[in-house]
Amino acid sequence: MKTTIANKEIEQAALDVLVVGLPEHPENLERWDSLNDLFGGRLLDWVKEGDVSTDLKAVTKLPAASGTAVKRVLFIGLGPAKKLTDQILLEVFAKAGKELKGRKAENVSIWADSFTTDTLEADDTAFAAIQGMLLGSYQFDDYKTTSNEKDFCFAEIELISTADEDELKAAAEVGRVHAEAVNSARTLVNTPPNILTAVKMAEHAEQLAERYDFELEVLGKEEMEELGMGAILAVNKGSVEEPRLIVLKYAGGNEDWTDVVGLVGKGITYDTGGYSLKPKDGMVGMKGDMGGAAAVFGAMQIIGELRPKKNVIAVIASTDNMVSGDAFKPDDVITSLSGKTIEVLNTDAEGRLVLADAVTYAKQSGADCLIDVATLTGGVIVALGKDKTGALTNDEAFFESFMEASLETGEFVWRLPLTENDKKRLRTSDVADLNNSPGRDGHMIFGGGFVGEFAGDTPWIHLDIAGTSEAGAPHNLGPKGATGVMSRTLATFIERLAEEEPDAE
């Protein structure tokens, strides 16, 4: 996609569609007269009569007057300008992206200055415009043989503004990077499990490593057995597919590989529940049980593009959880990479097992702080609904810093408590150090708290995205299906940490 910045008159916009933001009082826009002239001076009357709406996200499509380069105009309402935030602006442009995709408008001009306010500047608009349009127009390439529709993508987006061209270009580029990474994560989650196996997930990591010069390490079953990764190997026992532990290292900070942030993702490519078998309706959609891995891959794509000055290691534990004569079962006792033993009470609590070994490996590889991301429990949906990511932590300052990134991206995160009594229940077993399922009460807390047992004293945040990883219907930033949640927040957090470094420019 080509992005251009142009300081020119509105009537010179010559691409397929001109996108204009209409606040509650559009006559106060700086170049209102030029816009009004495109419609023979009648636009304000149409606004007053309700034919063109300024209500938030309301869309009106009109052909422009003859004699100008403008072919047609898509107005999108902004409501009261003083209430417009950067998150709302992102949703506005996502709505525009959906509309333009429906019209197959691949070449678009945006009058960027019509979206600016006293608190939102032109670079905010550029960032939101490119990111929102790409998120809103996302589609998954399905496997239907009867469709004749070609895949949609924007060929050119032109931003018309009087603001500094270099600043707008930089902001638009960051918006593009964020959106493309989220869409890549979405595609991973949407891919069927017979196609996206652990081996294929490792191949995706290889592509990222080659593109961004990451250091790559991929451990197969034999290497895991040599190291003693009994937790992930137990989950894999029932499968005919090889497991993979995927490690990507980005050396953007100091050269001695210290002060390293570890990002750990659950990569269960399909989850039957094992011998603690899910009901048939509960099994549908379990191709998305690798949403945590997708989020980490998305974050690493952003990091690879923007090159923040921070050392980052990403660890993905990937396998499916199947049923066979060899599958692990309730009452088994397994030994994790850390040496801790685990009594298996529920084979459907497998995500925390693979994360246990992945977190341990991240620590052994130099991670000084950890964030794990997983579609871990149905309990988080019961507690918080489907629009909030649940969190646990063992470090207040670390979590508060992360929350600033969450607020910046608008990806809602809510912390739940993890008490000593919760930890005591996780450590209750007659035969092992830990049990993997103390009960249904406090389900999300016990799931994440189990992972915390392997983080130990290392500053750690657990993110349960079981509710937010997929949307059951079209939403503000995209279509039904995978959302790519947490890719932007994880990367933004790394960028913020890099900016805080003493030698950061």
Side-chain angles (χ1 to χ4, degrees):
M1 183 193 73
K2 178 182 178 183
T3 303
T4 57
I5 313 295
N7 182 357
K8 62 185 181 183
E9 298 302 321
I10 302 167
E11 58 268 23
Q12 295 175 326
L15 299 182
D16 297 338
V17 178
L18 172 65
V19 179
V20 176
L22 280 186
E24 196 171 50
H25 298 287
E27 66 273 15
N28 294 330
L29 291 171
E30 190 169 321
R31 288 196 262 181
W32 168 257
D33 290 339
S34 297
L35 179 65
N36 202 21
D37 288 343
L38 293 178
F39 302 95
R42 302 183 60 194
L43 183 56
L44 186 58
D45 291 334
W46 294 342
V47 170
K48 290 179 178 178
E49 292 165 5
D51 295 314
V52 177
S53 178
T54 63
D55 292 345
L56 184 61
K57 300 181 191 176
V59 173
T60 309
K61 292 163 279 192
L62 293 175
S66 60
T68 69
V70 180
K71 300 173 184 176
R72 58 189 61 85
V73 180
L74 186 145
F75 295 103
I76 187 157
L78 303 179
K82 63 182 179 181
K83 293 185 178 181
L84 195 62
T85 65
D86 51 0
Q87 183 60 28
I88 293 174
L89 191 61
L90 182 64
E91 294 173 6
V92 163
F93 279 112
K95 178 69 176 290
K98 294 176 186 178
E99 292 287 337
L100 293 165
K101 174 188 171 186
R103 295 183 63 85
K104 297 180 173 59
E106 298 179 351
N107 300 284
V108 179
S109 295
I110 300 173
W111 181 20
D113 292 345
S114 67
F115 294 88
T116 60
T117 67
D118 291 339
T119 56
L120 294 174
E121 299 182 358
D123 57 343
D124 297 314
T125 296
F127 174 73
I130 304 303
Q131 184 176 187
M133 299 266 277
L134 294 180
L135 291 176
S137 60
Y138 169 80
Q139 63 183 19
F140 177 67
D141 297 335
D142 60 41
Y143 303 92
K144 296 179 180 179
T145 60
T146 56
S147 176
N148 293 319
E149 289 189 20
K150 73 168 187 173
D151 298 338
F152 176 84
C153 62
F154 289 108
E156 180 178 357
I157 298 179
E158 175 188 60
L159 298 172
I160 299 175
S161 176
T162 58
D164 182 81
E165 180 178 348
D166 291 337
E167 289 184 6
L168 292 191
K169 278 186 176 179
E173 175 64 9
V174 175
R176 178 194 65 80
V177 166
H178 277 228
E180 289 183 350
V182 170
N183 288 343
S184 177
R186 288 171 168 178
T187 295
L188 286 172
V189 176
N190 286 331
T191 301
N194 60 318
I195 296 173
L196 184 65
T197 62
V199 171
K200 290 295 183 181
M201 197 178 292
E203 291 177 4
H204 179 75
E206 290 172 9
Q207 293 169 2
L208 290 178
E210 183 176 352
R211 188 186 313 165
Y212 300 119
D213 197 27
F214 295 148
E215 182 181 333
L216 173 68
E217 181 182 24
V218 178
L219 303 184
K221 190 172 183 177
E222 289 185 8
E223 292 91 342
M224 293 181 195
E225 289 171 343
E226 291 173 3
L227 291 171
M229 292 186 172
I232 185 173
L233 287 169
V235 178
N236 179 254
K237 280 184 69 176
S239 179
V240 298
E241 298 286 350
E242 280 266 329
R244 289 291 184 267
L245 188 86
I246 304 160
V247 183
L248 291 170
K249 291 183 179 180
Y250 166 72
N254 55 60
E255 295 181 358
D256 54 357
W257 192 247
T258 58
D259 194 22
V260 180
V261 179
L263 305 179
V264 179
K266 172 188 171 186
I268 300 295
T269 58
Y270 195 77
D271 182 19
T272 67
Y275 274 107
S276 303
L277 195 66
K278 297 178 184 291
K280 64 180 180 64
D281 291 340
M283 215 177 292
V284 175
M286 282 297 106
K287 66 180 181 180
D289 209 17
M290 37 61 65
V296 171
F297 279 135
M300 291 303 290
Q301 183 171 328
I302 296 171
I303 290 165
E305 289 277 356
L306 300 183
R307 317 301 291 183
K309 294 182 178 180
K310 194 70 180 175
N311 290 328
V312 182
I313 182 170
V315 181
I316 305 293
S318 185
T319 179
D320 51 8
N321 183 23
M322 306 297 284
V323 180
S324 79
D326 292 328
F328 80 134
K329 55 197 174 296
D331 287 343
D332 281 0
V333 173
I334 59 180
T335 302
S336 67
L337 175 62
S338 72
K340 292 181 179 180
T341 56
I342 304 162
E343 180 183 12
V344 177
L345 299 181
N346 180 0
T347 63
D348 196 22
E350 87 298 329
R352 64 200 71 178
L353 297 177
V354 303
L355 287 172
D357 280 351
V359 161
T360 301
Y361 197 79
K363 288 175 62 177
Q364 292 177 353
S365 300
D368 298 293
C369 56
L370 296 160
I371 304 175
D372 77 83
V373 196
T375 50
L376 205 66
T377 66
V380 74
I381 300 174
V382 175
L384 299 177
K386 294 186 176 181
D387 61 342
K388 306 170 194 72
T389 291
L392 299 175
T393 189
N394 64 2
D395 190 292
E396 297 285 346
F398 185 46
F399 183 73
E400 288 302 317
S401 180
F402 175 81
M403 281 301 296
E404 291 177 3
S406 168
L407 292 171
E408 183 174 330
T409 61
E411 294 187 316
F412 194 101
V413 176
W414 190 259
R415 178 185 172 186
L416 279 76
L418 177 60
T419 68
E420 289 303 316
N421 189 55
D422 298 324
K423 296 175 185 178
K424 182 178 179 181
R425 287 182 63 181
L426 286 162
R427 298 165 186 165
T428 299
S429 171
D430 293 333
V431 294
D433 299 323
L434 301 167
N435 78 80
N436 80 325
S437 186
R440 295 297 299 176
D441 60 314
H443 190 205
M444 180 268 173
I445 295 171
F446 290 130
F450 181 91
V451 182
E453 291 293 304
F454 297 86
D457 295 330
T458 303
W460 159 77
I461 297 169
H462 166 70
L463 299 172
D464 192 334
I465 60 171
T468 52
S469 180
E470 295 191 58
H475 55 98
N476 287 333
L477 295 181
K480 175 183 177 181
T483 63
V485 72
M486 286 296 120
S487 293
R488 293 183 296 133
T489 297
L490 291 173
T492 299
F493 177 60
I494 299 298
E495 294 170 46
R496 293 175 66 94
L497 290 178
E499 291 169 359
E500 293 171 4
E501 292 293 323
D503 60 345
E505 294 179 0

